[in-house]
Amino acid sequence: MSVQALLYVVAVILLVLAALPIPRRGVSFALLGAACALLAYAWPVITD
């Protein structure tokens, strides 16, 4: 599995966790998921 695919999987997991009604404070899973998705999308540009 490539790094880009792994980042997309992590992003999906974080976004699913953000949709669940779990009480948490401090960290936003939605924001972390969006950041991982953006990093995965830009991965070919970053590594070239």
Side-chain angles (χ1 to χ4, degrees):
M1 181 180 283
S2 69
V3 175
Q4 187 178 17
L6 182 65
L7 285 170
Y8 274 126
V9 169
V10 170
V12 168
I13 290 170
L14 286 171
L15 290 173
V16 167
L17 284 176
L20 295 176
I22 302 171
R24 59 193 165 275
R25 53 177 130 137
V27 127
S28 170
F29 288 140
L31 189 59
L32 286 175
C36 279
L38 184 61
L39 181 61
Y41 180 75
W43 190 256
V45 175
I46 293 170
T47 56
D48 280 349

mmCIF file of all heavy atoms in Angstrom:
data_model
loop_
_atom_site.group_PDB
_atom_site.id
_atom_site.type_symbol
_atom_site.label_atom_id
_atom_site.label_comp_id
_atom_site.label_asym_id
_atom_site.label_seq_id
_atom_site.Cartn_x
_atom_site.Cartn_y
_atom_site.Cartn_z
ATOM 1 N N MET A 1 0.853 -1.172 0.000
ATOM 2 C CA MET A 1 0.000 0.000 0.000
ATOM 3 C C MET A 1 0.902 1.239 0.000
ATOM 4 O O MET A 1 1.850 1.337 0.767
ATOM 5 C CB MET A 1 -0.894 -0.022 1.238
ATOM 6 C CG MET A 1 -1.838 1.155 1.313
ATOM 7 S SD MET A 1 -2.896 1.171 2.758
ATOM 8 C CE MET A 1 -4.109 -0.019 2.338
ATOM 9 N N SER A 2 0.585 2.149 -0.857
ATOM 10 C CA SER A 2 1.395 3.359 -0.956
ATOM 11 C C SER A 2 1.080 4.320 0.189
ATOM 12 O O SER A 2 0.068 4.191 0.884
ATOM 13 C CB SER A 2 1.144 4.046 -2.295
ATOM 14 O OG SER A 2 -0.164 4.573 -2.318
ATOM 15 N N VAL A 3 1.944 5.287 0.372
ATOM 16 C CA VAL A 3 1.748 6.294 1.416
ATOM 17 C C VAL A 3 0.493 7.111 1.132
ATOM 18 O O VAL A 3 -0.276 7.426 2.048
ATOM 19 C CB VAL A 3 2.989 7.211 1.513
ATOM 20 C CG1 VAL A 3 2.758 8.335 2.494
ATOM 21 C CG2 VAL A 3 4.211 6.409 1.897
ATOM 22 N N GLN A 4 0.259 7.409 -0.121
ATOM 23 C CA GLN A 4 -0.917 8.193 -0.493
ATOM 24 C C GLN A 4 -2.206 7.445 -0.143
ATOM 25 O O GLN A 4 -3.137 8.022 0.424
ATOM 26 C CB GLN A 4 -0.887 8.512 -1.982
ATOM 27 C CG GLN A 4 -1.988 9.459 -2.413
ATOM 28 C CD GLN A 4 -1.902 9.795 -3.890
ATOM 29 O OE1 GLN A 4 -1.242 9.105 -4.654
ATOM 30 N NE2 GLN A 4 -2.559 10.863 -4.286
ATOM 31 N N ALA A 5 -2.246 6.168 -0.422
ATOM 32 C CA ALA A 5 -3.427 5.366 -0.097
ATOM 33 C C ALA A 5 -3.617 5.262 1.410
ATOM 34 O O ALA A 5 -4.745 5.338 1.911
ATOM 35 C CB ALA A 5 -3.299 3.981 -0.700
ATOM 36 N N LEU A 6 -2.526 5.123 2.146
ATOM 37 C CA LEU A 6 -2.607 5.058 3.601
ATOM 38 C C LEU A 6 -3.150 6.365 4.184
ATOM 39 O O LEU A 6 -3.973 6.343 5.102
ATOM 40 C CB LEU A 6 -1.231 4.752 4.183
ATOM 41 C CG LEU A 6 -1.148 4.601 5.689
ATOM 42 C CD1 LEU A 6 -1.942 3.386 6.138
ATOM 43 C CD2 LEU A 6 0.286 4.499 6.131
ATOM 44 N N LEU A 7 -2.717 7.487 3.644
ATOM 45 C CA LEU A 7 -3.225 8.777 4.105
ATOM 46 C C LEU A 7 -4.711 8.927 3.817
ATOM 47 O O LEU A 7 -5.462 9.478 4.637
ATOM 48 C CB LEU A 7 -2.434 9.913 3.460
ATOM 49 C CG LEU A 7 -1.032 10.142 4.016
ATOM 50 C CD1 LEU A 7 -0.274 11.117 3.128
ATOM 51 C CD2 LEU A 7 -1.089 10.640 5.434
ATOM 52 N N TYR A 8 -5.163 8.442 2.662
ATOM 53 C CA TYR A 8 -6.595 8.486 2.353
ATOM 54 C C TYR A 8 -7.404 7.609 3.316
ATOM 55 O O TYR A 8 -8.481 7.993 3.763
ATOM 56 C CB TYR A 8 -6.873 8.057 0.914
ATOM 57 C CG TYR A 8 -6.754 9.180 -0.094
ATOM 58 C CD1 TYR A 8 -5.928 9.065 -1.204
ATOM 59 C CD2 TYR A 8 -7.476 10.348 0.059
ATOM 60 C CE1 TYR A 8 -5.818 10.083 -2.127
ATOM 61 C CE2 TYR A 8 -7.384 11.373 -0.861
ATOM 62 C CZ TYR A 8 -6.552 11.236 -1.951
ATOM 63 O OH TYR A 8 -6.456 12.254 -2.859
ATOM 64 N N VAL A 9 -6.880 6.441 3.657
ATOM 65 C CA VAL A 9 -7.565 5.555 4.596
ATOM 66 C C VAL A 9 -7.656 6.209 5.969
ATOM 67 O O VAL A 9 -8.710 6.178 6.624
ATOM 68 C CB VAL A 9 -6.861 4.186 4.668
ATOM 69 C CG1 VAL A 9 -7.376 3.353 5.817
ATOM 70 C CG2 VAL A 9 -7.019 3.443 3.361
ATOM 71 N N VAL A 10 -6.576 6.815 6.428
ATOM 72 C CA VAL A 10 -6.577 7.520 7.713
ATOM 73 C C VAL A 10 -7.576 8.671 7.683
ATOM 74 O O VAL A 10 -8.308 8.906 8.649
ATOM 75 C CB VAL A 10 -5.151 8.017 8.064
ATOM 76 C CG1 VAL A 10 -5.173 8.959 9.256
ATOM 77 C CG2 VAL A 10 -4.240 6.839 8.334
ATOM 78 N N ALA A 11 -7.637 9.390 6.572
ATOM 79 C CA ALA A 11 -8.581 10.509 6.450
ATOM 80 C C ALA A 11 -10.015 10.021 6.543
ATOM 81 O O ALA A 11 -10.845 10.632 7.238
ATOM 82 C CB ALA A 11 -8.346 11.243 5.133
ATOM 83 N N VAL A 12 -10.334 8.910 5.890
ATOM 84 C CA VAL A 12 -11.694 8.376 5.933
ATOM 85 C C VAL A 12 -12.044 7.931 7.351
ATOM 86 O O VAL A 12 -13.143 8.205 7.853
ATOM 87 C CB VAL A 12 -11.852 7.215 4.927
ATOM 88 C CG1 VAL A 12 -13.135 6.458 5.165
ATOM 89 C CG2 VAL A 12 -11.792 7.748 3.509
ATOM 90 N N ILE A 13 -11.120 7.268 8.027
ATOM 91 C CA ILE A 13 -11.370 6.824 9.400
ATOM 92 C C ILE A 13 -11.613 8.021 10.315
ATOM 93 O O ILE A 13 -12.533 8.011 11.145
ATOM 94 C CB ILE A 13 -10.197 5.961 9.906
ATOM 95 C CG1 ILE A 13 -10.180 4.622 9.169
ATOM 96 C CG2 ILE A 13 -10.284 5.745 11.411
ATOM 97 C CD1 ILE A 13 -8.947 3.789 9.417
ATOM 98 N N LEU A 14 -10.813 9.061 10.180
ATOM 99 C CA LEU A 14 -10.986 10.247 11.023
ATOM 100 C C LEU A 14 -12.310 10.943 10.734
ATOM 101 O O LEU A 14 -12.978 11.424 11.662
ATOM 102 C CB LEU A 14 -9.821 11.209 10.820
ATOM 103 C CG LEU A 14 -8.500 10.793 11.462
ATOM 104 C CD1 LEU A 14 -7.379 11.709 10.998
ATOM 105 C CD2 LEU A 14 -8.609 10.784 12.968
ATOM 106 N N LEU A 15 -12.708 10.995 9.482
ATOM 107 C CA LEU A 15 -13.989 11.636 9.151
ATOM 108 C C LEU A 15 -15.171 10.816 9.654
ATOM 109 O O LEU A 15 -16.180 11.382 10.085
ATOM 110 C CB LEU A 15 -14.083 11.870 7.643
ATOM 111 C CG LEU A 15 -13.138 12.958 7.114
ATOM 112 C CD1 LEU A 15 -13.176 12.995 5.595
ATOM 113 C CD2 LEU A 15 -13.481 14.299 7.695
ATOM 114 N N VAL A 16 -15.052 9.502 9.640
ATOM 115 C CA VAL A 16 -16.113 8.664 10.202
ATOM 116 C C VAL A 16 -16.184 8.851 11.717
ATOM 117 O O VAL A 16 -17.272 8.965 12.290
ATOM 118 C CB VAL A 16 -15.879 7.176 9.840
ATOM 119 C CG1 VAL A 16 -16.768 6.259 10.661
ATOM 120 C CG2 VAL A 16 -16.110 6.957 8.359
ATOM 121 N N LEU A 17 -15.042 8.918 12.376
ATOM 122 C CA LEU A 17 -15.025 9.173 13.816
ATOM 123 C C LEU A 17 -15.619 10.543 14.143
ATOM 124 O O LEU A 17 -16.267 10.705 15.178
ATOM 125 C CB LEU A 17 -13.595 9.089 14.357
ATOM 126 C CG LEU A 17 -13.013 7.692 14.522
ATOM 127 C CD1 LEU A 17 -11.559 7.783 14.962
ATOM 128 C CD2 LEU A 17 -13.820 6.870 15.503
ATOM 129 N N ALA A 18 -15.405 11.515 13.281
ATOM 130 C CA ALA A 18 -15.950 12.857 13.514
ATOM 131 C C ALA A 18 -17.472 12.856 13.410
ATOM 132 O O ALA A 18 -18.133 13.668 14.058
ATOM 133 C CB ALA A 18 -15.357 13.836 12.514
ATOM 134 N N ALA A 19 -18.021 11.946 12.620
ATOM 135 C CA ALA A 19 -19.473 11.893 12.450
ATOM 136 C C ALA A 19 -20.177 11.181 13.602
ATOM 137 O O ALA A 19 -21.381 11.342 13.775
ATOM 138 C CB ALA A 19 -19.809 11.196 11.138
ATOM 139 N N LEU A 20 -19.439 10.418 14.377
ATOM 140 C CA LEU A 20 -20.042 9.700 15.502
ATOM 141 C C LEU A 20 -20.259 10.635 16.688
ATOM 142 O O LEU A 20 -19.468 11.555 16.905
ATOM 143 C CB LEU A 20 -19.133 8.536 15.926
ATOM 144 C CG LEU A 20 -18.943 7.427 14.912
ATOM 145 C CD1 LEU A 20 -17.940 6.414 15.442
ATOM 146 C CD2 LEU A 20 -20.261 6.744 14.607
ATOM 147 N N PRO A 21 -21.299 10.388 17.456
ATOM 148 C CA PRO A 21 -21.572 11.255 18.616
ATOM 149 C C PRO A 21 -20.723 10.886 19.835
ATOM 150 O O PRO A 21 -21.229 10.475 20.876
ATOM 151 C CB PRO A 21 -23.058 11.017 18.870
ATOM 152 C CG PRO A 21 -23.292 9.625 18.415
ATOM 153 C CD PRO A 21 -22.370 9.427 17.235
ATOM 154 N N ILE A 22 -19.420 11.006 19.702
ATOM 155 C CA ILE A 22 -18.492 10.705 20.793
ATOM 156 C C ILE A 22 -18.091 12.029 21.446
ATOM 157 O O ILE A 22 -17.597 12.926 20.758
ATOM 158 C CB ILE A 22 -17.232 9.989 20.264
ATOM 159 C CG1 ILE A 22 -17.603 8.701 19.542
ATOM 160 C CG2 ILE A 22 -16.258 9.714 21.390
ATOM 161 C CD1 ILE A 22 -16.438 8.062 18.813
ATOM 162 N N PRO A 23 -18.284 12.156 22.765
ATOM 163 C CA PRO A 23 -17.856 13.398 23.410
ATOM 164 C C PRO A 23 -16.326 13.476 23.476
ATOM 165 O O PRO A 23 -15.661 12.548 23.913
ATOM 166 C CB PRO A 23 -18.459 13.305 24.814
ATOM 167 C CG PRO A 23 -18.705 11.862 25.041
ATOM 168 C CD PRO A 23 -18.919 11.241 23.701
ATOM 169 N N ARG A 24 -15.787 14.551 22.993
ATOM 170 C CA ARG A 24 -14.334 14.760 23.014
ATOM 171 C C ARG A 24 -14.080 16.253 23.074
ATOM 172 O O ARG A 24 -14.892 17.061 22.655
ATOM 173 C CB ARG A 24 -13.666 14.138 21.793
ATOM 174 C CG ARG A 24 -14.182 14.694 20.481
ATOM 175 C CD ARG A 24 -13.751 13.850 19.309
ATOM 176 N NE ARG A 24 -14.488 14.155 18.114
ATOM 177 C CZ ARG A 24 -15.652 13.642 17.788
ATOM 178 N NH1 ARG A 24 -16.232 12.782 18.568
ATOM 179 N NH2 ARG A 24 -16.252 13.979 16.673
ATOM 180 N N ARG A 25 -12.935 16.602 23.608
ATOM 181 C CA ARG A 25 -12.593 18.016 23.600
ATOM 182 C C ARG A 25 -11.153 18.192 23.154
ATOM 183 O O ARG A 25 -10.336 17.303 23.267
ATOM 184 C CB ARG A 25 -12.820 18.659 24.958
ATOM 185 C CG ARG A 25 -12.181 18.013 26.105
ATOM 186 C CD ARG A 25 -12.463 18.826 27.343
ATOM 187 N NE ARG A 25 -12.963 17.955 28.381
ATOM 188 C CZ ARG A 25 -12.585 18.014 29.633
ATOM 189 N NH1 ARG A 25 -11.741 18.936 30.018
ATOM 190 N NH2 ARG A 25 -13.063 17.180 30.501
ATOM 191 N N GLY A 26 -10.895 19.348 22.625
ATOM 192 C CA GLY A 26 -9.547 19.653 22.177
ATOM 193 C C GLY A 26 -9.341 19.351 20.704
ATOM 194 O O GLY A 26 -9.267 20.247 19.891
ATOM 195 N N VAL A 27 -9.281 18.061 20.380
ATOM 196 C CA VAL A 27 -8.924 17.666 19.012
ATOM 197 C C VAL A 27 -10.176 17.513 18.157
ATOM 198 O O VAL A 27 -11.171 16.968 18.591
ATOM 199 C CB VAL A 27 -8.125 16.360 19.083
ATOM 200 C CG1 VAL A 27 -8.663 15.283 18.219
ATOM 201 C CG2 VAL A 27 -6.687 16.605 18.768
ATOM 202 N N SER A 28 -10.129 18.019 16.961
ATOM 203 C CA SER A 28 -11.245 17.886 16.028
ATOM 204 C C SER A 28 -10.878 16.835 14.987
ATOM 205 O O SER A 28 -9.970 17.032 14.174
ATOM 206 C CB SER A 28 -11.510 19.225 15.344
ATOM 207 O OG SER A 28 -12.411 19.060 14.295
ATOM 208 N N PHE A 29 -11.590 15.709 15.035
ATOM 209 C CA PHE A 29 -11.318 14.639 14.079
ATOM 210 C C PHE A 29 -11.641 15.074 12.656
ATOM 211 O O PHE A 29 -10.987 14.641 11.712
ATOM 212 C CB PHE A 29 -12.111 13.385 14.435
ATOM 213 C CG PHE A 29 -11.598 12.673 15.662
ATOM 214 C CD1 PHE A 29 -12.485 12.134 16.580
ATOM 215 C CD2 PHE A 29 -10.253 12.520 15.890
ATOM 216 C CE1 PHE A 29 -12.022 11.472 17.700
ATOM 217 C CE2 PHE A 29 -9.776 11.866 17.007
ATOM 218 C CZ PHE A 29 -10.667 11.343 17.921
ATOM 219 N N ALA A 30 -12.633 15.935 12.501
ATOM 220 C CA ALA A 30 -12.983 16.410 11.165
ATOM 221 C C ALA A 30 -11.843 17.240 10.576
ATOM 222 O O ALA A 30 -11.507 17.094 9.396
ATOM 223 C CB ALA A 30 -14.262 17.228 11.222
ATOM 224 N N LEU A 31 -11.249 18.082 11.383
ATOM 225 C CA LEU A 31 -10.138 18.906 10.907
ATOM 226 C C LEU A 31 -8.909 18.053 10.585
ATOM 227 O O LEU A 31 -8.246 18.263 9.561
ATOM 228 C CB LEU A 31 -9.797 19.970 11.948
ATOM 229 C CG LEU A 31 -8.811 21.036 11.543
ATOM 230 C CD1 LEU A 31 -9.322 21.800 10.323
ATOM 231 C CD2 LEU A 31 -8.570 21.995 12.680
ATOM 232 N N LEU A 32 -8.631 17.081 11.434
ATOM 233 C CA LEU A 32 -7.506 16.176 11.163
ATOM 234 C C LEU A 32 -7.759 15.329 9.918
ATOM 235 O O LEU A 32 -6.834 15.084 9.126
ATOM 236 C CB LEU A 32 -7.266 15.265 12.366
ATOM 237 C CG LEU A 32 -6.621 15.909 13.581
ATOM 238 C CD1 LEU A 32 -6.568 14.918 14.732
ATOM 239 C CD2 LEU A 32 -5.243 16.405 13.250
ATOM 240 N N GLY A 33 -8.992 14.888 9.730
ATOM 241 C CA GLY A 33 -9.328 14.113 8.538
ATOM 242 C C GLY A 33 -9.188 14.929 7.265
ATOM 243 O O GLY A 33 -8.686 14.446 6.256
ATOM 244 N N ALA A 34 -9.634 16.179 7.328
ATOM 245 C CA ALA A 34 -9.489 17.058 6.164
ATOM 246 C C ALA A 34 -8.022 17.330 5.864
ATOM 247 O O ALA A 34 -7.614 17.378 4.695
ATOM 248 C CB ALA A 34 -10.241 18.358 6.403
ATOM 249 N N ALA A 35 -7.222 17.499 6.901
ATOM 250 C CA ALA A 35 -5.789 17.732 6.699
ATOM 251 C C ALA A 35 -5.115 16.508 6.084
ATOM 252 O O ALA A 35 -4.260 16.647 5.193
ATOM 253 C CB ALA A 35 -5.128 18.100 8.022
ATOM 254 N N CYS A 36 -5.484 15.312 6.542
ATOM 255 C CA CYS A 36 -4.918 14.086 5.962
ATOM 256 C C CYS A 36 -5.336 13.916 4.509
ATOM 257 O O CYS A 36 -4.540 13.493 3.675
ATOM 258 C CB CYS A 36 -5.357 12.876 6.769
ATOM 259 S SG CYS A 36 -4.386 12.619 8.246
ATOM 260 N N ALA A 37 -6.593 14.238 4.206
ATOM 261 C CA ALA A 37 -7.059 14.125 2.825
ATOM 262 C C ALA A 37 -6.325 15.111 1.921
ATOM 263 O O ALA A 37 -5.946 14.764 0.794
ATOM 264 C CB ALA A 37 -8.562 14.372 2.761
ATOM 265 N N LEU A 38 -6.118 16.315 2.409
ATOM 266 C CA LEU A 38 -5.380 17.304 1.620
ATOM 267 C C LEU A 38 -3.930 16.877 1.428
ATOM 268 O O LEU A 38 -3.369 17.039 0.336
ATOM 269 C CB LEU A 38 -5.452 18.670 2.301
ATOM 270 C CG LEU A 38 -4.820 19.833 1.564
ATOM 271 C CD1 LEU A 38 -5.496 20.035 0.215
ATOM 272 C CD2 LEU A 38 -4.915 21.094 2.389
ATOM 273 N N LEU A 39 -3.328 16.324 2.460
ATOM 274 C CA LEU A 39 -1.955 15.838 2.351
ATOM 275 C C LEU A 39 -1.865 14.678 1.363
ATOM 276 O O LEU A 39 -0.928 14.612 0.559
ATOM 277 C CB LEU A 39 -1.444 15.411 3.724
ATOM 278 C CG LEU A 39 -0.008 14.909 3.791
ATOM 279 C CD1 LEU A 39 0.968 15.983 3.347
ATOM 280 C CD2 LEU A 39 0.307 14.430 5.187
ATOM 281 N N ALA A 40 -2.832 13.775 1.400
ATOM 282 C CA ALA A 40 -2.839 12.652 0.458
ATOM 283 C C ALA A 40 -3.022 13.140 -0.971
ATOM 284 O O ALA A 40 -2.394 12.628 -1.901
ATOM 285 C CB ALA A 40 -3.946 11.673 0.823
ATOM 286 N N TYR A 41 -3.876 14.139 -1.144
ATOM 287 C CA TYR A 41 -4.110 14.683 -2.481
ATOM 288 C C TYR A 41 -2.846 15.346 -3.035
ATOM 289 O O TYR A 41 -2.518 15.220 -4.212
ATOM 290 C CB TYR A 41 -5.249 15.704 -2.409
ATOM 291 C CG TYR A 41 -5.581 16.348 -3.737
ATOM 292 C CD1 TYR A 41 -6.266 15.646 -4.708
ATOM 293 C CD2 TYR A 41 -5.204 17.665 -3.998
ATOM 294 C CE1 TYR A 41 -6.560 16.231 -5.929
ATOM 295 C CE2 TYR A 41 -5.479 18.239 -5.204
ATOM 296 C CZ TYR A 41 -6.176 17.535 -6.165
ATOM 297 O OH TYR A 41 -6.455 18.114 -7.367
ATOM 298 N N ALA A 42 -2.102 16.020 -2.168
ATOM 299 C CA ALA A 42 -0.906 16.750 -2.604
ATOM 300 C C ALA A 42 0.361 15.895 -2.548
ATOM 301 O O ALA A 42 1.431 16.386 -2.903
ATOM 302 C CB ALA A 42 -0.721 17.986 -1.733
ATOM 303 N N TRP A 43 0.259 14.646 -2.097
ATOM 304 C CA TRP A 43 1.435 13.810 -1.919
ATOM 305 C C TRP A 43 2.312 13.680 -3.175
ATOM 306 O O TRP A 43 3.546 13.787 -3.078
ATOM 307 C CB TRP A 43 1.027 12.434 -1.411
ATOM 308 C CG TRP A 43 2.194 11.622 -0.976
ATOM 309 C CD1 TRP A 43 2.765 10.589 -1.638
ATOM 310 C CD2 TRP A 43 2.967 11.804 0.225
ATOM 311 N NE1 TRP A 43 3.818 10.106 -0.932
ATOM 312 C CE2 TRP A 43 3.981 10.825 0.204
ATOM 313 C CE3 TRP A 43 2.897 12.697 1.287
ATOM 314 C CZ2 TRP A 43 4.908 10.729 1.232
ATOM 315 C CZ3 TRP A 43 3.831 12.588 2.304
ATOM 316 C CH2 TRP A 43 4.816 11.619 2.265
ATOM 317 N N PRO A 44 1.763 13.478 -4.373
ATOM 318 C CA PRO A 44 2.636 13.381 -5.552
ATOM 319 C C PRO A 44 3.418 14.672 -5.823
ATOM 320 O O PRO A 44 4.548 14.631 -6.292
ATOM 321 C CB PRO A 44 1.669 13.087 -6.704
ATOM 322 C CG PRO A 44 0.479 12.508 -6.061
ATOM 323 C CD PRO A 44 0.377 13.147 -4.714
ATOM 324 N N VAL A 45 2.827 15.810 -5.528
ATOM 325 C CA VAL A 45 3.509 17.078 -5.743
ATOM 326 C C VAL A 45 4.612 17.272 -4.696
ATOM 327 O O VAL A 45 5.698 17.761 -5.010
ATOM 328 C CB VAL A 45 2.507 18.250 -5.682
ATOM 329 C CG1 VAL A 45 3.202 19.586 -5.779
ATOM 330 C CG2 VAL A 45 1.468 18.093 -6.774
ATOM 331 N N ILE A 46 4.341 16.865 -3.464
ATOM 332 C CA ILE A 46 5.303 17.039 -2.385
ATOM 333 C C ILE A 46 6.531 16.151 -2.592
ATOM 334 O O ILE A 46 7.652 16.581 -2.363
ATOM 335 C CB ILE A 46 4.635 16.722 -1.024
ATOM 336 C CG1 ILE A 46 3.565 17.750 -0.713
ATOM 337 C CG2 ILE A 46 5.653 16.681 0.096
ATOM 338 C CD1 ILE A 46 2.702 17.397 0.474
ATOM 339 N N THR A 47 6.308 14.922 -3.047
ATOM 340 C CA THR A 47 7.410 13.959 -3.118
ATOM 341 C C THR A 47 8.172 14.009 -4.442
ATOM 342 O O THR A 47 9.203 13.350 -4.567
ATOM 343 C CB THR A 47 6.890 12.539 -2.888
ATOM 344 O OG1 THR A 47 5.863 12.251 -3.838
ATOM 345 C CG2 THR A 47 6.349 12.407 -1.484
ATOM 346 N N ASP A 48 7.701 14.706 -5.429
ATOM 347 C CA ASP A 48 8.431 14.777 -6.703
ATOM 348 C C ASP A 48 9.543 15.792 -6.671
ATOM 349 O O ASP A 48 9.634 16.677 -5.961
ATOM 350 C CB ASP A 48 7.496 15.103 -7.849
ATOM 351 C CG ASP A 48 6.746 13.869 -8.322
ATOM 352 O OD1 ASP A 48 7.128 12.766 -7.899
ATOM 353 O OD2 ASP A 48 5.788 14.023 -9.083
#
